[in-house]
Amino acid sequence: MTHSVKGAALPRRTVLKQALAGAGLASAAGLGWWQPAEAAGSFDWKKYQGTSIEVSLTKNTRGDLLQKYQKEFEELTGIKVGAEQVPEQQHRQKVAIEFTSGAPSFDVVTASWHVQKRLYGKGKWFEDLRPFLADATLTAPDYDFADFAKGAVDYATQPDGRMDTLPLNLDYWIIYWNKELFQAKGLAFPKNFDELISAAQTLNDPKKGISGWVSRGMKNANVPVWTSFLLGHGVDPIDAAGKLQTDTPEAIAAAEIYKRLNREFAPPGVVGFNWNECQTSFVQGKAAMWLDGIGFALPLEDPTRSRIVGKVGYGVMPAGPKAQHSALFGDGIGIAATSKNKQAAWLYCQWATSKVMQSRNLLGGYGSPGRQSAFTTALTSPDLKAPKEWVEAMSGSIKIARPGLPEIFAVTEFRDTFGVALTNLIGGADPATELKKATEAFKPVLEKTEKA
């Protein structure tokens, strides 16, 4: 296929390169995966042309992105793709049911790490991707796996060492802060937890309708707020041996921070706040700081929805007493172990997580990629519509990211149990007492589900 420019016929590959260069992608992406096969040695994108694969996607902006450019993949490889998007909750149920049946209808599927990683790993429902990465005949020479951040790779890897998905999208928790309110009080962005609490206290002004802090108070949804502070104390909710660390001195100290911020400096009714209520409070200029996922940033810069356009700061999670971590959540993409078209499916996964697609993910506001090069590309692109500080917050968070929830089967039960304890704290309950009760209540659930 050729295109004509001023009478001269250009190969389609050249046209694609020029189009992406105009989007600011060419320099970082290299575009090696559009080179002729002979230039790439034994690797050939057309090796499995004529094959058909089925792809099951979670319905979200990343699914939109993959379907938007699906024809590009089909022309690149000659592989026919049948793809569908299914709403998140239904998708999780559908995928688990089909895997359990032993005959899933898909070759490629997206997976929510923070909800179902252990379930998929236990069943070994996904193909181990390490042999594919090591095979030069199947992996493009410029795929550059080392470009993925360590936190993303760790999250995609099962406890037994199998890497059964590739990083597709990451969600880092950051501090959104109102620069105008900070400036009025002569404050700088907090560097640690103590400064964060002090800033929340200083900025809290109920008489003017200003809260120094806002975060999720609703049970279940509120747990990542607490674990964000727990990670800063150098502790995971459950250690590598599977032991609960939810009533330790560190866990209690993290809960004390959660209690004080949400009881003393948050808006009235915060006990019923999920991310949406928090975002609404912040965009109206009624909260000085908000802790949540980085994916909620774009509405803050929309003049039709936000009263604080141009006044928003995007900050990496401050350091705790023992560590500095950004709570990480994310999604991967992998190959069904039962697939009869694994090689073709691998080419799709490789394309979906390539430098070009990951850069498009960030530039278009579809999500937050796991590749470090995507951030360099975005910061030098004229097409970046979001503030550079937002991208810089992602880039800083990716280096200190750590899972914000334990990698267990009973993730929902964990959030439900400890979510109740946290809402009780906002009402004035004692952190040590509540965490001890929640830990004792969840312990048998953990033991039962992990052994099942």
Side-chain angles (χ1 to χ4, degrees):
M1 180 178 180
T2 60
H3 295 259
S4 180
V5 179
K6 293 184 179 180
L10 295 176
R12 180 179 180 279
R13 184 173 65 252
T14 302
V15 173
L16 284 169
K17 285 185 178 182
Q18 291 176 347
L20 284 166
L25 296 176
S27 60
L31 302 182
W33 44 286
W34 276 309
Q35 293 177 1
E38 61 269 22
S42 58
F43 175 78
D44 184 0
W45 281 103
K46 294 286 190 183
K47 188 172 184 178
Y48 298 97
Q49 61 180 324
T51 305
S52 294
I53 60 173
E54 295 297 321
V55 179
S56 183
L57 303 168
T58 306
K59 186 172 180 57
N60 54 34
T61 55
R62 272 79 64 195
D64 293 341
L65 178 70
L66 291 173
Q67 288 195 302
K68 178 180 180 179
Y69 290 99
Q70 179 176 305
K71 187 176 180 182
E72 184 177 273
F73 170 78
E74 291 176 326
E75 292 179 354
L76 171 70
T77 62
I79 296 169
K80 180 67 176 176
V81 178
E84 68 166 355
Q85 291 192 63
V86 180
E88 186 175 26
Q89 295 299 326
Q90 293 95 311
H91 188 250
R92 291 172 185 168
Q93 295 171 4
K94 168 185 165 65
V95 170
I97 290 171
E98 290 202 28
F99 269 133
T100 303
S101 75
S105 60
F106 45 78
D107 301 285
V108 175
V109 61
T110 52
S112 175
W113 290 330
H114 51 284
V115 177
Q116 292 178 302
K117 173 182 172 179
R118 289 283 284 115
L119 177 64
Y120 295 150
K122 184 86 171 189
K124 295 187 177 180
W125 290 339
F126 283 81
E127 189 75 7
D128 186 353
L129 301 179
R130 291 175 298 176
F132 291 93
L133 281 166
D135 191 337
T137 68
L138 292 176
T139 301
D142 62 346
Y143 183 63
D144 191 12
F145 183 72
D147 184 39
F148 286 104
K150 182 180 183 300
V153 175
D154 289 346
Y155 218 165
T157 303
Q158 295 289 349
D160 62 4
R162 290 179 305 112
M163 193 182 74
D164 55 6
T165 55
L166 291 172
L168 183 65
N169 184 72
L170 303 175
D171 187 20
Y172 314 99
W173 277 45
I174 65 167
I175 301 286
Y176 300 99
W177 55 291
N178 187 312
K179 291 183 176 181
E180 185 176 57
L181 295 178
F182 269 74
Q183 186 176 11
K185 295 288 186 178
L187 296 177
F189 181 75
K191 298 183 181 66
N192 53 54
F193 288 179
D194 287 341
E195 290 184 7
L196 185 148
I197 296 169
S198 178
Q201 183 175 21
T202 302
L203 293 162
N204 196 52
D205 193 347
K207 291 182 179 179
K208 293 184 178 179
I210 302 297
S211 301
W213 174 265
V214 67
S215 64
R216 304 180 188 187
M218 183 182 291
K219 66 178 183 180
N220 184 295
N222 55 7
V223 171
V225 182
W226 168 55
T227 59
S228 291
F229 292 115
L230 182 57
L231 293 176
H233 284 80
V235 171
D236 291 303
I238 299 177
D239 67 17
K243 180 181 178 182
L244 282 164
Q245 301 187 100
T246 47
D247 58 354
T248 61
E250 293 84 359
I252 294 168
E256 291 279 9
I257 295 174
Y258 177 89
K259 176 181 178 178
R260 187 175 184 195
L261 288 172
N262 285 285
R263 181 172 169 80
E264 298 181 23
F265 313 128
V270 72
V271 72
F273 278 30
N274 202 337
W275 66 266
N276 185 54
E277 291 78 11
C278 293
Q279 185 184 74
T280 298
S281 180
F282 191 75
V283 298
Q284 290 177 349
K286 295 182 178 180
M289 288 183 286
W290 169 34
L291 172 63
D292 219 307
I294 201 161
F296 298 120
L298 293 183
L300 310 183
E301 302 294 344
D302 181 353
T304 66
R305 302 174 63 182
S306 174
R307 296 180 182 177
I308 53 174
V309 174
K311 302 174 184 177
V312 183
Y314 305 90
V316 175
M317 184 69 180
K322 296 181 181 179
Q324 183 178 16
H325 289 299
S326 169
L328 174 65
F329 304 83
D331 303 297
I333 188 167
I335 302 169
T338 55
S339 171
K340 294 180 173 59
N341 304 298
K342 292 176 182 176
Q343 290 78 13
W346 167 246
L347 292 184
Y348 181 90
C349 291
Q350 194 177 162
W351 165 80
T353 58
S354 65
K355 288 184 177 180
V356 170
M357 290 300 290
Q358 290 267 285
S359 292
R360 286 169 170 165
N361 189 27
L362 182 56
L363 279 175
Y366 294 95
S368 176
R371 283 187 176 274
Q372 299 173 95
S373 62
F375 299 99
T376 303
T377 297
L379 289 171
T380 57
S381 171
D383 294 325
L384 179 65
K385 296 178 175 58
K388 288 188 176 182
E389 190 177 345
W390 177 59
V391 179
E392 290 168 349
M394 285 191 202
S395 182
S397 297
I398 200 172
K399 300 169 186 174
I400 59 170
R402 191 169 181 82
L405 289 171
E407 296 179 23
I408 56 175
F409 292 106
V411 178
T412 299
E413 292 88 343
F414 177 87
R415 294 181 70 166
D416 288 342
T417 303
F418 287 94
V420 171
L422 295 171
T423 59
N424 291 342
L425 299 188
I426 299 175
D430 175 62
T433 301
E434 290 297 319
L435 290 182
K436 182 177 180 180
K437 283 168 34 180
T439 300
E440 290 304 313
F442 184 69
K443 190 178 296 182
V445 177
L446 178 66
E447 293 174 354
K448 180 180 178 180
T449 54
E450 289 299 303
K451 292 177 180 178

